[in-house]
Amino acid sequence: MSIARLDVQTLRQVPAALGEVDPIRSLTLLPGVSSSSDFTTAINVRGGGSDQNLILLDEATIYNPSHILGFLSVFNSDAVDDATLYKGAIPPRFGGRLSSVVDLRQREGNANEFAGTATLGLLASRLAVEGPLKGKGSWLVAARRSYADLFAKASSDPDIRSSIAYFYDLNAKVTKPLGEHGTLVASGFFGRDRFGVADQFGAGWGNKSGTLRWNEIVRDRLYSKVTLAASDYDYRLTFPIGQDSTQWTARVKSLDLKVDESLHLSPGHRLEFGVQGTLHGFSPGEVKPLGESDLASKKVPERSAMAGALYLGEEREFGERWAIRYGARLSGFMRTGSATVFRYANNQPLVYDSLLGRYEPGTVVDSTRYTAGQKVQAYGALEPRASLRYSLDKGTSLKASYARTVQYLHLASKTNSPTPLDVWEPAGPYLRPQRADQVAIGIQRITPGQAWDLSAEAFVKRSRDVVDFVDGADVILNEKLETLILQGRGRAWGLELFARRQVGKTTGWVSYTLSRSEQRFGSGSASSPNTNTPGINNGEWYVSPYDKTHDLSVVAMRPLSRNWNMGATFTFATGLPATYPQSRYVV
């Protein structure tokens, strides 16, 4: 339960903004998935924040999946085969995020003949070519680029003519069978956005990822997979200050090694187990002058961390009615040096000033310097997962699931939408990992002939140590984020209804979500809770910034002829919570 899949053929039939088919935006048409606006690819799953979603492309993490400040995602529909969303009963092989996993796979190339497609769109154009390798195997290369900057050069306004505004991305995949049962797969992704005005302002940001995977089938029972995946997201800004120019850079990168095993003991009985390890590197920001400028440089110290996990799961069917999947994930995380950790008076990096009625940074009384690789802080957690299915008859089943998830990375951002300036902060001495427990129950009915797929699910999720910022928090180039952060509790619950027609001339689906998402921050410090401080909203529960009470989506597709198709979407949703200013001061 709590799994949704969209294949590329379905994605291409759903109407898209400016004709750009987008796997991430299409997920918002499913129950339990919403977005903070019509102009962002940041998704919120079952009351969680956008940073609580693990987004994978061929098992490599994509930290910022956005082009054009969030209007489009970085995933080219010519290269993506399908998108799978796990929003509840997350398998134990996945971890590191609180709310969901979005698993995207690049498709394999044509192993029989050379082929290609070209698309001219309103916003961007795409080119994809593919073909067989010598002997066995296939290859695929897909590219996309927008061209708003080319039209800008025709403007009579010199500022518009000198402007830069475009994005591009490149996908590649090679699949090579080796031996009787082995396959070597190599894939890569590179995407970039450029924006600015010549001699005034410039910005560039983008993702790079690469995956090398070896698949092997051993004696028709054991499916073995070894994966090495690298991810890198960076941004840079260039802007003038008087006669001088400065450049601001930041990045986050990771290297993953995974060994996943799937053992088929008998029909309807399968074990999965594996080990995973990750190296993290964070460069929160550095500003330095360009040329011979006399401006001073500033750099926020880099952060480093290591993560690892062991997992074991079992899936069994008992006769024709019962099926169960259960398992556990043992995860660990260690913040490492080089690092300087400050110590604050009373061990409180954040102090509430009752006279001023606001939070103030704590007083630094000492600091500790950690060398490269030295342990700064370590955390560990056991994450059990289980799901159960009982078939009432041939087409009707009852389902239930439970999952505990832990997130060791936090997005230090005060907005609901992804921006190029997003900074990730690892758990450490003053910042605890986020934890969540989710329970869901549901019923599914597939009508005779598989004409309709009908389902209803209800969920309840409780979270601990979720993050919010105090009033006036400035996270940009701040090396003491612990003086801005409060950690508290979250809760969400909802009902999801889904009806999908799969046969006939007119196909599509209707999804409806009734939900609530709330947060509560009643402590005064991330490390030493103090119930005498008001927290946020006087310590009372309040709706989270991404709460949507009602969310309705209708999708319909119908072929008109052999070469023409028609599609339509309709959405209706409750507005997001808002806090309005009470007063304004001019000094």
Side-chain angles (χ1 to χ4, degrees):
M1 67 178 307
S2 303
I3 297 176
R5 291 184 178 91
L6 288 177
D7 60 84
V8 68
Q9 296 300 327
T10 302
L11 291 173
R12 288 174 178 171
Q13 294 180 41
V14 177
L18 297 177
E20 286 297 317
V21 177
D22 195 323
I24 298 296
R25 293 178 70 91
S26 298
L27 291 176
T28 62
L29 300 172
L30 300 176
V33 186
S34 63
S35 62
S36 57
S37 80
D38 294 331
F39 304 100
T40 178
T41 55
I43 60 174
N44 307 109
V45 179
R46 290 186 170 176
S50 60
D51 65 314
Q52 295 176 358
N53 307 308
L54 177 63
I55 299 179
L56 301 173
L57 179 64
D58 280 348
E59 302 191 54
T61 303
I62 303 298
Y63 288 96
N64 191 327
S66 301
H67 278 317
I68 325 178
L69 301 174
F71 185 76
L72 286 177
S73 79
V74 298
F75 304 113
N76 184 348
S77 62
D78 288 345
V80 172
D81 190 29
D82 60 60
T84 303
L85 170 68
Y86 300 90
K87 56 183 178 179
I90 300 174
R93 68 179 181 273
F94 295 116
R97 295 296 188 274
L98 220 60
S99 293
S100 75
V101 176
V102 181
D103 188 16
L104 296 112
R105 300 285 174 163
Q106 295 191 80
R107 67 182 182 89
E108 297 182 0
N110 192 327
N112 299 316
E113 60 181 1
F114 177 83
T117 61
T119 304
L120 182 66
L122 295 174
L123 184 63
S125 289
R126 307 190 301 271
L127 176 66
V129 290
E130 56 190 312
L133 292 174
K134 272 191 174 182
K136 291 183 179 180
S138 64
W139 58 271
L140 167 73
V141 177
R144 177 173 60 163
R145 191 193 191 278
S146 67
Y147 30 68
D149 55 317
L150 302 181
F151 291 104
K153 297 185 182 301
S155 173
S156 59
D157 189 322
D159 288 334
I160 296 179
R161 283 201 308 270
S162 63
S163 65
I164 302 171
Y166 66 90
F167 72 85
Y168 62 90
D169 47 52
L170 178 67
N171 296 76
K173 188 169 186 175
V174 176
T175 304
K176 179 66 175 178
L178 297 176
E180 292 186 8
H181 304 289
T183 305
L184 182 65
V185 180
S187 64
F189 168 78
F190 181 79
R192 201 79 188 164
D193 279 71
R194 292 289 308 277
F195 175 77
V197 178
D199 301 325
Q200 296 185 36
F201 174 78
W205 61 90
N207 293 275
K208 296 186 289 289
S209 71
T211 302
L212 184 64
R213 185 172 69 244
W214 169 259
N215 303 328
E216 178 79 19
I217 300 176
V218 182
R219 295 183 179 179
D220 297 327
R221 297 182 62 187
L222 179 65
Y223 182 76
S224 180
K225 183 174 66 174
V226 180
T227 306
L228 181 65
S231 303
D232 188 353
Y233 171 75
D234 74 282
Y235 68 80
R236 58 186 60 201
L237 308 177
T238 303
F239 47 90
I241 299 179
Q243 300 298 318
D244 302 313
S245 293
T246 62
Q247 187 176 75
W248 178 4
T249 58
R251 78 185 319 145
V252 53
K253 54 186 178 180
S254 60
L255 181 65
D256 298 91
L257 178 61
K258 308 174 187 178
V259 179
D260 301 295
E261 308 288 339
S262 180
L263 177 62
H264 295 259
L265 299 174
S266 64
H269 188 193
R270 183 174 67 92
L271 288 177
E272 61 175 3
F273 52 94
V275 59
Q276 303 170 358
T278 305
L279 297 177
H280 293 285
F282 307 87
S283 299
E286 179 182 8
V287 174
K288 58 183 180 181
L290 299 177
E292 299 179 356
S293 171
D294 294 329
L295 297 173
S297 300
K298 180 176 182 179
K299 181 178 181 180
V300 178
E302 297 183 358
R303 277 88 155 134
S304 300
M306 295 187 296
L310 299 170
Y311 74 88
L312 173 64
E314 183 178 14
E315 184 176 345
R316 296 198 67 175
E317 294 181 1
F318 300 92
E320 296 182 355
R321 291 188 177 272
W322 289 96
I324 186 171
R325 174 190 290 172
Y326 63 94
R329 179 182 180 88
L330 181 62
S331 62
F333 185 87
M334 184 169 66
R335 173 87 174 266
T336 61
S338 302
T340 298
V341 176
F342 299 98
R343 187 162 64 87
Y344 298 87
N346 301 319
N347 201 32
Q348 291 189 338
L350 190 59
V351 179
Y352 183 74
D353 191 322
S354 57
L355 294 178
L356 296 177
R358 69 186 185 201
Y359 285 97
E360 296 287 339
T363 302
V364 176
V365 296
D366 199 358
S367 64
T368 303
R369 178 65 182 171
Y370 295 88
T371 58
Q374 187 176 1
K375 183 181 78 172
V376 177
Q377 183 76 32
Y379 293 97
L382 181 64
E383 306 174 42
R385 320 272 174 86
S387 60
L388 178 70
R389 186 186 77 241
Y390 175 72
S391 298
L392 297 175
D393 54 43
K394 189 174 182 179
T396 307
S397 59
L398 299 175
K399 302 179 182 183
S401 69
Y402 165 77
R404 170 171 290 178
T405 51
V406 178
Q407 180 167 333
Y408 296 101
L409 304 183
H410 308 270
L411 186 62
S413 174
K414 297 178 67 180
T415 69
N416 288 343
S417 302
T419 72
L421 307 184
D422 286 346
V423 174
W424 290 85
E425 179 74 6
Y430 300 107
L431 191 60
R432 299 184 299 275
Q434 302 179 63
R435 303 168 187 263
D437 293 277
Q438 182 181 156
V439 176
I441 58 173
I443 183 171
Q444 183 177 16
R445 169 69 176 170
I446 298 179
T447 61
Q450 299 187 348
W452 286 90
D453 182 357
L454 310 173
S455 66
E457 290 190 19
F459 70 90
V460 176
K461 182 166 65 175
R462 298 276 183 172
S463 307
R464 291 178 292 164
D465 295 319
V466 296
V467 171
D468 207 342
F469 295 89
V470 299
D471 291 341
D474 185 4
V475 302
I476 302 300
L477 293 176
N478 194 323
E479 61 180 307
K480 301 175 183 176
L481 290 179
E482 63 269 16
T483 64
L484 310 174
I485 292 175
L486 289 172
Q487 290 192 268
R489 296 182 178 271
R491 64 186 184 188
W493 61 92
L495 173 67
E496 300 170 359
L497 305 178
F498 186 64
R500 182 171 184 173
R501 182 171 175 81
Q502 305 178 96
V503 299
K505 285 191 174 182
T506 301
T507 58
W509 65 84
V510 178
S511 73
Y512 170 72
T513 306
L514 173 67
S515 64
R516 189 72 165 176
S517 175
E518 297 180 332
Q519 295 177 332
R520 183 180 185 180
F521 296 85
S523 61
S525 169
S527 59
S528 301
N530 184 349
T531 56
N532 295 323
T533 59
I536 298 175
N537 193 41
N538 295 319
E540 301 295 331
W541 288 98
Y542 64 95
V543 290
S544 63
Y546 25 83
D547 173 78
K548 279 189 177 182
T549 307
H550 303 281
D551 196 352
L552 172 69
S553 297
V554 182
V555 178
M557 298 162 286
R558 183 182 178 90
L560 299 179
S561 66
R562 184 178 177 180
N563 297 320
W564 289 88
N565 293 288
M566 182 175 67
T569 60
F570 170 81
T571 58
F572 174 83
T574 304
L576 292 171
T579 301
Y580 293 99
Q582 293 179 319
S583 57
R584 184 168 70 101
Y585 297 86
V586 178
V587 179

